[in-house]
Amino acid sequence: MECNGCEFRSELYYDDQYQIWVRREEDGSLTVGMTDISQTVAGKILHVRVRRPGTLRPVGKPVATIESGKWAGPVPNVFDCVIEEANHSVLEDPNLLNIEPYEAWIARVRPSGTAEEALSVLLTGDAAQAGYCERARREDIHCERGAR
Amino acid sequence: MTTWRLLDTGLRPAAQNIALNRALLEARQQNASLSTLRFLRFEPCALLGYHQSAEQELNLDYCREHGVTIQRRITGGGAIYFDTTQIGWELYLHKHELGTADMTEISRRICEAAARGISTLGVDAKFRPRNDIEVDGRKISGTGGAFDGDALMYQGTLLIEFDVEKMLRVLKIPAEKLSDKAIASARERVANLADLLDRVPPMAQVQSALANAFSEEFDVEFTPALLTSHEEALYNDALAEIDHPDWINLLARPAVDQPTLNAVRKFSGGLLRASVAFDRTQSRIKQVWFSGDVFISPSRTLADLEAALRDTLAEQLALNVKQFFATRSVDMLTLTADDFVSVLHEALAQANSEAAA
């Protein structure tokens, strides 16, 4: 479903600012990406850098950084984790984050606690949808995918 | 009226200036500091954009031999040479103070205000998308930003008495070589306040021109103040990380992945030469540099085209060049948009032949 043209997927988990999405994998790892709102706000993304596999990332220390139109900044991190893997397709073509934000994952991480503990600080389902739409409306964000 | 802080941190080594960027942005993000306009100056240094690699962007031997320190910014964009002949200006803000989340719009608003401030010194400064301020097509200020949550920092340079030749020697600029012609051509692309005004404006005058413009744009008043003790603590932590080879070498990519490709073609309208800094991994043009003896009016067209082609995917090149010429009125005798495309494609073709070799 969409709000202001911003795609929302109810099966994913989100931080309370709807900057990142998180998906639970069967092996207990978590996949992290940018939301449609985030990629729209950023504009055309030219660089992505993911910390090396094995690096511990505490809350507040970013899993990855992005750059668009001379703006650089973090893809935020809201739970303690260790980086397991970066998505090499995205490192090679960061623009994929603009084109398919929910397919173009950024990193797979292993939470320091259990996956349940990590997901417990995130929002999902109806509550997430309400907050996601509220942010798009409040900040008047109209999403566009596929900017090149 | 809302009060923002005016902070002047004076002349410092690059590592200290960048550590202050990190500390002040972090403090603003925590809502522990007021929004701030900071003025800063640098001892001679080469500053990489956050995602750049020193090997690809800088002449490392020259930097070593001439005491030019290498540092990495926290902001995006390209490598620059910074020394005492320039002044830096920075805004630390919260997105809520700007009424938009659109980063392009934020850049535009800040740059247009800075341009108005610079203009009050007696030059006609204008914002040039996406991130420059220029006077008659010549760059006088380059800018870039960093964000952290809802806080952001936007910074710019302002050239006062800039040494263009030194910049060319520090940066791997895609000019085919450092001939007198290349240096003269680089001089035509940048503008110094001192040259434009025929005098060196006092630093205090430059600072108040910028401060007044930002004060009007954001409807705030500035009060001079120092760093808070909380910012000092953040600064000390940041300095330990940033004044370290691991930070400077955070990204290290081989120079061979970003070749400079040259091509020259003779048209009935004249000789056109293109140098292209090309990112082979992403198949993306980083920067284009045109020279030659073609007639083009207005003369700033080449600089505008260079700016428009930054970070263009190779596959989009022809479309971007055509769109550029379709949206403006340019007199260039018999030269056509297709001629520009052909010389650029010829340069890019070398990337394939180099890769195959």
Side-chain angles (χ1 to χ4, degrees):
Chain A
M1 70 127 314
E2 292 190 346
C3 291
N4 279 3
C6 300
E7 187 182 350
F8 175 82
R9 297 200 178 174
S10 59
E11 74 277 16
L12 300 174
Y13 290 78
Y14 301 86
D15 67 295
D16 65 359
Q17 297 298 309
Y18 307 95
Q19 298 176 84
I20 59 165
W21 57 260
V22 177
R23 188 176 65 219
R24 182 182 187 156
E25 305 298 338
E26 282 180 3
D27 66 355
S29 68
L30 299 173
T31 299
V32 179
M34 281 173 83
T35 62
D36 199 6
I37 286 183
S38 285
Q39 71 78 16
T40 298
V41 166
K44 187 164 103 177
I45 297 166
L46 295 171
H47 295 283
V48 179
R49 173 174 176 267
V50 177
R51 293 292 180 135
R52 253 182 240 112
T55 316
L56 174 69
R57 302 312 286 160
V59 172
K61 293 291 177 185
V63 165
T65 52
I66 59 160
E67 181 173 332
S68 59
K70 295 204 180 181
W71 286 95
V75 175
N77 178 29
V78 292
F79 49 84
D80 295 352
C81 64
V82 173
I83 310 277
E84 289 207 329
E85 184 188 3
N87 181 353
H88 285 275
S89 309
V90 163
L91 296 184
E92 277 162 32
D93 186 2
N95 206 202
L96 290 174
L97 295 172
N98 298 115
I99 295 167
E100 40 181 23
Y102 298 104
E103 312 299 331
W105 55 279
I106 295 174
R108 292 238 155 81
V109 303
R110 177 75 49 183
S112 301
T114 62
E116 285 74 23
E117 284 165 352
L119 295 175
S120 71
V121 301
L122 300 169
L123 294 150
T124 189
D126 292 345
Q129 185 181 327
Y132 184 91
C133 292
E134 207 264 322
R135 179 172 175 209
R137 276 195 296 271
R138 186 181 65 235
E139 297 187 27
D140 197 24
I141 298 165
H142 295 265
C143 290
E144 279 179 41
R145 287 176 292 276
R148 272 191 102 84
Chain B
M1 195 185 270
T2 309
T3 299
W4 287 0
R5 172 176 53 173
L6 184 64
L7 179 66
D8 184 349
T9 54
L11 180 64
R12 287 174 183 253
Q16 291 185 15
N17 276 330
I18 308 291
L20 279 166
N21 286 157
R22 167 79 67 79
L24 292 167
L25 180 59
E26 216 172 318
R28 189 67 194 89
Q29 200 271 332
Q30 298 164 348
N31 265 323
S33 298
L34 289 176
S35 286
T36 295
L37 169 62
R38 175 191 177 207
F39 291 111
L40 63 162
R41 294 169 66 222
F42 285 82
E43 291 172 5
C45 57
L47 301 178
L48 297 164
Y50 179 76
H51 285 98
Q52 289 188 312
S53 154
E55 289 78 7
Q56 291 187 337
E57 307 298 331
L58 306 176
N59 290 321
L60 299 176
D61 289 342
Y62 182 87
C63 291
R64 237 187 325 267
E65 285 158 19
H66 293 81
V68 174
T69 311
I70 297 169
Q71 252 299 339
R72 178 181 301 282
R73 301 192 306 267
I74 66 166
T75 52
I80 56 172
Y81 171 63
F82 216 128
D83 65 12
T84 55
T85 68
Q86 301 161 72
I87 183 168
W89 54 268
E90 298 175 342
L91 284 168
Y92 296 83
L93 308 172
H94 201 278
K95 272 189 190 169
H96 297 160
E97 292 166 310
L98 295 165
T100 176
D102 182 332
M103 307 300 260
T104 310
E105 194 44 45
I106 294 169
S107 303
R108 168 183 294 277
R109 186 170 174 199
I110 295 174
C111 286
E112 284 179 348
R116 279 195 295 278
I118 296 166
S119 293
T120 62
L121 296 166
V123 298
D124 184 18
K126 294 245 161 39
F127 170 54
R128 175 168 71 198
R130 292 183 314 244
N131 295 81
D132 294 334
I133 297 168
E134 56 157 49
V135 175
D136 291 332
R138 299 167 73 197
K139 180 167 163 176
I140 196 163
S141 174
T143 68
F147 59 89
D148 184 359
D150 280 338
L152 56 91
M153 187 258 297
Y154 201 78
Q155 63 184 190
T157 56
L158 179 57
L159 307 184
I160 312 274
E161 296 181 276
F162 187 56
D163 185 346
V164 172
E165 189 170 338
K166 186 122 188 207
M167 172 192 80
L168 291 175
R169 293 185 191 284
V170 166
L171 305 182
K172 279 190 181 162
I173 297 245
E176 73 269 46
K177 60 181 179 230
L178 273 186
S179 60
D180 290 349
K181 206 170 170 183
I183 293 164
S185 151
R187 282 214 174 92
E188 283 170 19
R189 286 169 167 74
V190 298
N192 275 315
L193 265 186
D195 291 342
L196 295 170
L197 298 173
D198 264 337
R199 66 185 169 87
V200 181
M203 244 3 133
Q205 191 189 353
V206 174
Q207 293 188 2
S208 69
L210 285 165
N212 289 340
F214 290 129
S215 161
E216 267 176 36
E217 176 61 32
F218 296 105
D219 197 21
V220 295
E221 60 184 6
F222 286 108
T223 304
L226 302 171
L227 292 179
T228 66
S229 55
H230 178 61
E231 287 167 339
E232 292 273 9
L234 292 174
Y235 164 71
N236 286 328
D237 288 348
L239 188 62
E241 182 187 341
I242 283 167
D243 194 10
H244 193 282
D246 284 354
W247 167 257
I248 297 158
N249 299 317
L250 192 66
L251 276 124
R253 286 186 294 258
V256 66
D257 283 350
Q258 190 173 297
T260 298
L261 309 167
N262 298 299
V264 57
R265 279 206 172 188
K266 180 95 185 120
F267 300 102
S268 55
L271 190 77
L272 182 62
R273 181 176 282 123
S275 296
V276 180
F278 187 63
D279 180 336
R280 209 198 286 279
T281 326
Q282 289 195 26
S283 250
R284 194 183 285 280
I285 289 167
K286 305 297 295 175
Q287 199 182 345
V288 177
W289 183 278
F290 290 111
S291 57
D293 60 3
V294 290
F295 170 83
I296 296 184
S297 175
S299 59
R300 54 167 299 151
T301 306
L302 284 183
D304 287 344
L305 181 57
E306 288 170 358
L309 293 180
R310 265 188 219 150
D311 294 316
T312 297
L313 285 173
E315 66 189 48
Q316 302 248 308
L317 174 64
L319 184 67
N320 283 14
V321 171
K322 282 174 190 163
Q323 276 176 352
F324 174 86
F325 283 107
T327 53
R328 66 196 68 213
S329 164
V330 177
D331 179 8
M332 45 187 187
L333 302 177
T334 59
L335 203 65
T336 65
D338 285 334
D339 293 339
F340 281 89
V341 174
S342 72
V343 74
L344 289 167
H345 277 162
E346 188 173 321
L348 294 190
Q350 293 168 31
N352 302 326
S353 59
E354 271 189 32

